[in-house]
Amino acid sequence: MRNAWSAATFSQGNGMRYQMSKRAFALLFATAQGVPLLGWGCCAAAEDLPTIPQPPLLKATGAASVKPKQGTLQLQNLMTLPGQFKLEPETPQTVNMELEIRYLDGFINNPSEGKGKGDHVQLRGYREWCDASRQKCAGTDGKAWTQTFVAPLIDAKPGQTVRVTLHNNLPPDPSCVSQGGSANTPHCFNGTNLHTHGLWVNPAGNSDNVLISILPQVAFQYEYNIPQEHPAGTYWYHTHLHGSTALQVSSGMAGALIIRGDRQPQAGDGEKGHGDLDTLLKPSDDGQFQESTLVFQQIQYACRDKDGQVKTDSDGRYLCAADDVGKIESYDLFGPGKWEKSGRYTSINGVIMGALPEATVGRVQRWRMIHGGVRDTIALELRLRRPHPARDIAGLTAEGSQDYVAQECTGDPLPLTLVAADGQTMGQAMAKTRVVFQPGYRWDALMVFPQEGDYCLINRVKSSNVDRVAPYTRLLGIVHANQAAAGRMDASPAAIERHLKAQLIKAARKNYPREVASLVVADLEQGMKLTRFVPHADILPSEVTGQQTLTFNIDTSVKGEAFFQVDGKPYDGSRMDRVLPLGGVDEWTLTSDFVSHPFHIHVNPFQIVKILDPQNRDISGPKMQRGMDEDDDQYVGLKGVWKDTLWIKNLYSGDSKSGMTPQKGKYTFIVRTRYERYIGDFVLHCHILDHEDQGMMQNVRIALPDSKGKPTSGHH
């Protein structure tokens, strides 16, 4: 792998070679289906890097879900995935992980400071426990810790139990016990808990419970029982204690969580046994469908002077001297425009502006991509870099990155063919040359590189973004594509689509019995449809049993103050904002009165019905419409798609110079969701995490219903 800005070379057992600065980076691999997950750390020696344990794959014996009987209220789950299967004898029933949370010392590459220069940082982070049975471990009493600023991969199967033990070894924090003042003032920076973002699991007890506090010097074990019907897909986990979520996630306390499925689609009508996309996209001996998981993070550390002020240059870009230690200890680092102005760089699996896994011309890769950041927009493009000698990117500043892309990354944009949103397989593959990630988003994309060379992975942010800054462009990394024996292929989007479709059809015929393969192939031939892999049945209007409305707002009526609200109220931990019946089906209307916010709700995903722009046009259809806002391409093709996080847009920014009112800039989002299987309390919130910490959140309770479907309370 070529990497002109690296200083050391490491080898992996699969024959691939990686280059990076020994001081700034470490290389961490997690094998998934025999394919490496790239997890690049910061500071350990290569020989000390362990492999994250992976559970073996399971095999499923599919049976269709049972349809509810008529007449009485039915509360069983309505998933359409085949749910009855057994774990193979060699497959462990549990996936166990132990994580310590403490301050970690290391180095983060800062390209602005020159080639190989890393800033010394001290950040709260996860360290994985590894026992003496693993050869790479060493230390007192046979135990040691590994270190990285991106959390390790959790890899599991439907039907397994995932146990994660957190040891909070951060120093005591008095604000966790007696904070005083508003609960929506950031506090308890050393308390923690854990959220499995997007998982359909129990929100109560020691499962996906974000309403508990794990205080310093306390250990707690989470237990996630993954239901047999759980969709396979790309999820993630991160800290979620109200008051410190943004600060801890920005420190790197986030990681990928992959649910892998072996359930093949079943023959018959569309209501019977949809399968897991993993069974179609099996990595093959000829190199097709090899997989990479990419976690995007924004670690916004700063160095401060003796008065506690952030050190900056004349342009406001953050500075750290050789003897400084970068930290994240205050919420003054978060706010509109601060990420872009800081000059910090988005990292991918812990590496800043590094080399991504190599590709081969014509071979299909599956990229699992996760926005694990706090409050910025990422808009990915891939373009072929001009032939060597290209300019060295060592010493490239954030500002210089835009010029570099304009001069060096001059190829036509490469299609990213999206097949899953937020872990949920889409009904039809969708090719885009610019893929927008708002905080919390995940996209699975199939990649085909049509010719040999280096490709620039670019973040091209347009006008509608989280930080409300002017459009800008950054280089995120480089992908090198090796020449295939067959030579280069036609690089046109149409040719790439034909090639991808042919590979998918070939895989279907190879992986499925003839009757099933014929159904999957017929769908693929009709516009690359994936209807046999969508994990949920569409929610029809006739199913809807209730209506919900939600409006985000930031109250700026008091000079110098901002109050973050949902439905006109800041978060109150003692207030239950919504009580909803198990088995109910709601249609939600989502809006924002002031700027834009990513809506996220725990436990149950939702299906997008329509997205109306300020002119009342539905912009979620398959094509851009004349007169649409340039950034509304992020909504094209989302009608009918299942998600758990959605960007609720409003062009109104409160700037009197714009001449705009909230209503003139307001978008309206209609989604539907089912409340299945689980009762308990959880939250919905804005996924700009400093907004959540300051009050843009609500409590939600799913309760057992009475015979008429209305929620009940305890009878005492």
Side-chain angles (χ1 to χ4, degrees), residues 575-639:
R575 183 184 68 231
M576 188 55 60
D577 298 283
R578 300 172 194 267
V579 180
L580 309 170
L582 182 69
V585 180
D586 275 346
E587 183 171 277
W588 291 64
T589 300
L590 310 172
T591 57
S592 173
D593 282 345
F594 184 87
V595 300
S596 306
H597 306 271
F599 167 81
H600 172 54
I601 188 167
H602 293 200
V603 186
N604 296 290
F606 51 80
Q607 186 177 32
I608 297 171
V609 177
K610 57 184 174 181
I611 300 172
L612 304 176
D613 71 3
Q615 285 72 48
N616 209 38
R617 296 173 296 195
D618 186 355
I619 57 175
S620 64
K623 295 181 179 180
M624 283 283 286
Q625 301 177 36
R626 182 178 298 178
M628 285 173 55
D629 183 77
E630 64 170 354
D631 248 3
D632 286 348
D633 59 347
Q634 66 183 295
Y635 297 125
V636 170
L638 290 188
K639 183 180 292 292

Side-chain angles (χ1 to χ4, degrees), residues 641-662:
V641 170
W642 290 84
K643 289 179 103 296
D644 59 55
T645 309
L646 184 60
W647 179 241
I648 308 304
K649 185 173 177 179
N650 190 330
L651 297 173
Y652 178 66
S653 65
D655 181 359
S656 60
K657 296 179 181 179
S658 69
M660 183 177 287
T661 66

Side-chain angles (χ1 to χ4, degrees), residues 7 48 76 95 107 164 224 264-265 283 295-296 406 458 467 485 510 548 561 585 684:
D48 296 330
Q76 64 259 45
V95 178
F107 291 86
V164 180
Y224 308 104
Q264 291 191 355
V295 181
F296 299 93
I458 301 163
D467 269 352
K510 175 183 177 182
Q548 297 289 319
E561 299 286 347
V585 180
L684 60 80

Side-chain angles (χ1 to χ4, degrees), residues 21 31 43 50 71 111 164 204-205 249 305 366 369 378 395 418 518 582 594 622 686:
S21 161
T31 55
C43 43
V164 180
V249 172
D305 61 23
R366 180 182 187 176
M369 297 176 285
I378 298 172
L418 305 178
S518 64
L582 182 69
F594 184 87
C686 169

Side-chain angles (χ1 to χ4, degrees), residues 5-86:
W5 53 95
S6 304
T9 302
F10 306 108
S11 296
Q12 182 72 7
N14 57 10
M16 298 180 70
R17 295 172 66 81
Y18 302 86
Q19 295 180 321
M20 62 197 68
S21 161
K22 284 186 177 179
R23 181 186 183 194
F25 308 123
L27 186 62
L28 178 64
F29 276 95
T31 55
Q33 295 181 313
V35 182
L37 163 79
L38 207 57
W40 292 342
C42 62
C43 43
E47 59 272 13
D48 296 330
L49 295 174
T51 299
I52 297 171
Q54 301 296 303
L57 297 176
L58 314 181
K59 293 184 179 180
T61 56
S65 300
V66 178
K67 290 186 177 181
K69 298 178 180 179
Q70 300 298 316
T72 58
L73 183 69
Q74 299 293 318
L75 301 181
Q76 64 259 45
N77 128 68
L78 300 175
M79 294 272 186
T80 58
L81 284 168
Q84 302 302 317
F85 65 95
K86 61 182 179 180

